[in-house]
Amino acid sequence: MQYRIEKDTMGEMQVPNDKYWGAQTQRSIENFPIGEEKMPNEVIEGFAYLKKSCAIVNNKLERLDDEKTAAILQACDEILEGKLDGNFPLVVWQTGSGTQSNMNINEVVANRASEILGCDFRVEKPAHPNDDVNKGQSSNDTYPTAMRIAFVLDLQKRLIPAIKTLKATFENKVKEFEDVVKIGRTHLQDATPLTLGQEISAYVDMLDKALLQIDDSMKYIVELAIGGTAVGTGLNSHPDFSPMVAEVLNELTNTKYKFKSHPNKFHALTAHDGEVVLSGVLNALASNLMKIANDIRWLSSGPRCGIGEINIPENEPGSSIMPGKVNPTQSEAMTMVAVQVMGNHTTISVAASQGNFELNVFKPVIALNILQSIRLLSDTMIAFNDKCAIGLEANKINIEKYLNESLMLVTALNPYIGYEKAALIAKTAHKNGTSLKEEAMNLGILTYSQFDEYVKPYEMIKAKV
């Protein structure tokens, strides 16, 4: 590999000759050989949108000439198109403000822009990473802005469509199973009847609430730190810079959630409570997906020695030793995702608490964990939808058997004979291994005809007015 010499305020560095990054990026590579977690591509994309917007605004404010602006815009577009992939090698575990990643972007954009301007950037740099690409900005306000752009775009691209897809499938299952009456369960014990459709309707509502909670959390995430520069005062930035950048970002990204300048830049730089709120929404979704996945795998347990009220698709062999075994693998994958997201929420909460004085310096780890949570939740919901939820079937033989054998049907007798006598019937039937109907007759409490009149499972699925 051939190298060239790049300089920064700390001195000279050897940089791979075929890369657009400069000395500060190379220093970060050498100073932080920690882990394998690279700065997420979504953050790089957010930076590209941000640097493009900043260049447009600086040009409008007559702080950046037309020629440099055009070159910077083209370089940013090439990043967004993936043409400069391989030029963003930095790990998450770097400075907590994301300074090195901001400079990585600045160097790549500046060097590519210099090339676009007709110069060999290895020799001559008419576009400067600090003076031009980073004009009116600081790492302290650009990194939190870039990561929030990333969150908004990724939520719209991945998570919201995934939620809507799984919700639609469960809505179809609610209709498909609306007349399938089954026994309910509370405390893992038999309870009163409901329909399988009613049971699944809870999942629909959970997912619908997740969409509403995402909408609500976005009012914090769309507030951008850009314009605060180093400590929130806006030093070296134009007073109109921040709202103008937000306006341009909205034009470029065309998002449902509209970006705006954070009303208090000191808050924007030092605190990430908005990220904790968003992570809390992801955590709540993970909790509900855990519940859904567990329900599905319990209800499909068996096929002969479990509950077996529903059948799941047979996607792959479940055992390397037991022939014919099929496991609820999509549920298992989704529950593992859920616990990872819950762990991410703890990381984000602790990281957000570390805003000392004018700056939080845990920004990259916050970005990593939120974006991982969004990606994992999105992927697992689509996989669960396509490989499990769509193919769910009601096992009506087992459902009918459990329904008729349940002792909790006795609850329907409460209004007629009272709780104490109903309990006596249930306990006696359980002790003797007989039916409720038999023991109601044997105990002299009800005749068969009275029992049949009062206990009608198919009429117990909704309250009587």
Side-chain angles (χ1 to χ4, degrees):
M1 180 181 291
Q2 293 184 329
Y3 292 87
R4 68 180 188 275
I5 299 298
E6 288 272 353
K7 296 180 180 180
D8 62 10
T9 58
M10 301 291 290
E12 295 184 344
M13 293 293 295
Q14 279 193 329
V15 178
N17 209 34
D18 61 341
K19 300 300 182 182
Y20 285 104
W21 70 69
Q24 291 204 46
T25 300
Q26 190 65 35
R27 283 189 193 283
S28 184
I29 293 172
E30 296 180 14
N31 287 340
F32 299 98
I34 305 170
E36 298 180 349
E37 294 82 5
K38 302 297 184 183
M39 190 59 60
N41 289 334
E42 295 85 353
V43 173
I44 304 303
E45 181 183 14
F47 261 119
Y49 277 117
L50 177 59
K51 296 299 177 178
K52 183 176 181 179
S53 299
C54 289
I56 291 171
V57 172
N58 278 322
N59 179 256
K60 289 180 179 180
L61 294 172
E62 299 182 349
R63 305 181 79 201
L64 190 66
D65 67 52
D66 292 346
E67 194 176 17
K68 284 184 180 179
T69 299
I72 289 172
L73 299 189
Q74 182 178 331
C76 290
D77 285 338
E78 290 180 4
I79 293 173
L80 293 171
E81 293 164 5
K83 294 180 179 178
L84 299 181
D85 288 354
N87 281 282
F88 308 102
L90 302 189
V91 295
V92 168
W93 320 109
Q94 52 170 276
T95 177
S97 61
T99 298
Q100 279 95 35
S101 281
N102 180 44
M103 284 308 303
N104 179 204
I105 291 286
N106 290 335
E107 289 176 339
V108 171
V109 171
N111 283 339
R112 176 61 185 132
S114 294
E115 192 172 60
I116 292 167
L117 290 169
C119 300
D120 183 348
F121 67 88
R122 300 166 185 84
V123 178
E124 186 180 1
K125 301 179 187 294
H128 193 277
N130 297 84
D131 297 336
D132 297 318
V133 182
N134 201 58
K135 182 179 287 291
Q137 305 154 57
S138 163
S139 299
N140 297 352
D141 65 348
T142 57
Y143 191 92
T145 298
M147 75 181 193
R148 286 194 168 185
I149 295 169
F151 300 157
V152 170
L153 295 179
D154 219 33
L155 286 166
Q156 291 195 154
K157 175 184 176 182
R158 300 183 191 279
L159 189 63
I160 292 173
I163 294 172
K164 289 181 176 179
T165 296
L166 186 55
K167 177 189 169 188
T169 294
F170 282 137
E171 285 173 333
N172 291 333
K173 292 299 175 181
V174 169
K175 295 176 183 177
E176 182 181 346
F177 301 141
E178 63 183 351
D179 296 323
V180 180
V181 179
K182 65 182 290 291
I183 200 64
R185 294 179 181 85
T186 58
H187 304 273
L188 297 181
Q189 304 296 309
D190 301 348
T192 55
L194 76 168
T195 68
L196 184 54
Q198 288 173 324
E199 192 166 39
I200 292 175
S201 73
Y203 310 157
V204 174
D205 199 53
M206 290 173 193
L207 296 171
D208 192 51
K209 292 297 189 295
L211 293 172
L212 294 175
Q213 290 162 0
I214 289 171
D215 280 348
D216 189 57
S217 70
M218 284 299 96
K219 64 187 178 186
Y220 306 106
I221 299 300
V222 296
E223 293 183 336
L224 302 181
I226 192 67
T229 64
V231 297
T233 61
L235 180 67
N236 291 349
S237 183
H238 191 282
D240 295 329
F241 185 70
S242 182
M244 290 177 69
V245 168
E247 183 179 344
V248 174
L249 275 170
N250 288 330
E251 294 172 1
L252 294 178
T253 59
N254 192 30
T255 61
K256 170 187 174 182
Y257 307 105
K258 300 304 178 185
F259 297 111
K260 60 183 179 179
S261 175
H262 199 296
N264 188 309
K265 299 299 189 293
F266 306 102
H267 177 186
L269 270 60
T270 195
H272 289 298
D273 44 323
E275 280 73 10
V276 176
V277 171
L278 172 58
S279 180
V281 171
L282 303 178
N283 190 60
L285 175 58
S287 296
N288 281 336
L289 293 179
M290 175 75 83
K291 183 266 189 297
I292 292 169
N294 278 334
D295 278 2
I296 297 301
R297 63 175 167 180
W298 274 108
L299 290 173
S300 64
S301 61
R304 294 193 175 180
C305 301
I307 294 175
E309 289 187 341
I310 61 173
N311 299 324
I312 57 174
E314 299 182 357
N315 294 326
E316 63 273 314
S319 173
S320 60
I321 188 172
M322 294 175 280
K325 196 172 192 295
V326 176
N327 293 333
T329 52
Q330 288 298 323
S331 285
E332 291 167 3
M334 195 150 78
T335 53
M336 285 193 288
V337 165
V339 298
Q340 181 65 52
V341 172
M342 293 172 190
N344 288 353
H345 181 54
T346 298
T347 299
I348 292 160
S349 300
V350 175
S353 73
Q354 299 303 302
N356 297 320
F357 305 115
E358 279 65 60
L359 186 67
N360 175 287
V361 290
F362 283 68
K363 300 181 193 299
V365 75
I366 291 173
L368 172 71
N369 280 272
I370 287 182
L371 290 168
Q372 185 190 55
S373 291
I374 291 172
R375 180 63 181 262
L376 289 176
L377 289 169
S378 303
D379 288 353
T380 196
M381 280 189 287
I382 292 299
F384 187 86
N385 179 79
D386 296 348
K387 304 297 183 182
C388 183
I390 287 175
L392 292 179
E393 297 176 346
N395 186 333
K396 295 183 179 180
I397 295 175
N398 281 356
I399 287 174
E400 189 73 20
K401 176 178 180 290
Y402 295 143
L403 178 65
N404 292 330
E405 291 179 355
S406 174
L407 298 176
M408 289 305 101
L409 296 180
V410 78
T411 307
L413 297 176
N414 287 359
Y416 306 102
I417 62 175
Y419 183 95
E420 299 295 339
K421 289 183 179 179
L424 177 62
I425 292 172
K427 289 181 178 181
T428 305
H430 182 55
K431 179 181 178 180
N432 295 336
T434 53
S435 69
L436 295 172
K437 189 174 183 178
E438 287 178 83
E439 293 305 335
M441 179 69 177
N442 293 340
L443 293 167
I445 297 174
L446 293 170
T447 64
Y448 282 167
S449 61
Q450 286 176 316
F451 185 92
D452 289 338
E453 180 183 353
Y454 299 150
V455 181
K456 298 177 180 178
Y458 292 86
E459 294 182 7
M460 297 171 66
I461 59 174
K462 56 184 177 180
K464 295 180 180 179
V465 186

